[in-house]
Structures are given as C-alpha cells and as structure tokens.
Amino acid sequence: QVQLVESGGDLVQPGGSLRLSCVASGLSFSSYHMSWYRQAPGKERELVAHISARSSTNYADSVKGRFTISRDNAKNTVYLQMNSLKPEDTAVYYCRSVRGLNVSWGQGTQVTVSS
C-alpha cells in the first residue's frame, strides 16, 4: 500500500520561502513519477511541478523561476522549494505518485502566504 506524507507547509510572508517534503512508502520510489499539485479554496486542483523517474522536470507557468522540484531516491522523498512566494500561492499542496495506472495522493499540507 502506497503512502505519501507531506510536510513543511506554514504561514509565510509575501516574498518568503518554504520547502515542502513528501516521504513515500510502500512503493519502488525510484521508478515512480512524482508531482506536486495545489488546490486553493473554491478552485480546482492544479499541477504545480512534476519530476519524472529519470528526474526530468516541468512546471506550471505561474511558478516557473520561483519553485524547484527535486527528488532523493535514497530517502524516498520529493521536495518542492518555493521562493518569492505570493499570496496567490496560498493553497493546500498535495504530493502525487504515478506509475502506469497506479496513482496515489498524500493528505496535503497547507501553505498560506500573507502579511
């Protein structure tokens, strides 16, 4: 059974930084594609960043140049470094793992950007 546990969400001022972590268990982590999604109140869940099993990355236009996704296969962990945070980045951030038809989600971690 795949389990994804996110952490690192917090209240931060505009312009600040946070690093989210997602620790995975119950899967062969290095063979899975990993992604971060977010969902703001009243909005649909959207893709923020993706890292393939081979560590190629892509980002939503709204976070390019500010966010960086990375993975540590030895620790079964995927990270999201978020810099220059804006109020519009406020959302619950979710980790997702995918390999073929096997898709799993974490429970989410709240990020609030406010002065």
Side-chain angles (χ1 to χ4, degrees):
Q1 180 178 353
V2 176
Q3 186 175 17
L4 303 174
V5 180
E6 302 99 331
S7 63
D10 205 346
L11 170 64
V12 62
Q13 291 188 346
S17 297
L18 282 176
R19 188 176 82 157
L20 306 183
S21 301
C22 170
V23 179
S25 60
L27 75 171
S28 179
F29 181 78
S30 63
S31 66
Y32 276 70
H33 307 304
M34 302 298 296
S35 303
W36 285 97
Y37 282 72
R38 67 186 181 188
Q39 187 166 20
K43 295 189 177 181
E44 293 187 355
R45 193 172 295 190
E46 63 175 358
L47 176 67
V48 175
H50 173 87
I51 185 165
S52 74
R54 296 185 177 183
S55 294
S56 62
T57 60
N58 58 69
Y59 298 90
D61 287 344
S62 59
V63 307
K64 281 181 181 176
R66 299 188 298 123
F67 291 10
T68 302
I69 189 171
S70 61
R71 63 190 298 157
D72 185 338
N73 290 338
K75 296 182 178 179
N76 282 13
T77 302
V78 61
Y79 303 99
L80 185 68
Q81 178 66 43
M82 305 187 295
N83 299 328
S84 302
L85 282 161
K86 304 175 181 180
E88 52 262 44
D89 295 318
T90 295
V92 177
Y93 284 70
Y94 297 91
C95 178
R96 187 186 79 156
S97 65
V98 176
R99 188 178 74 175
L101 298 179
N102 296 314
V103 180
S104 297
W105 292 89
Q107 83 291 346
T109 186
Q110 176 70 47
V111 172
T112 303
V113 185
S114 175
S115 54

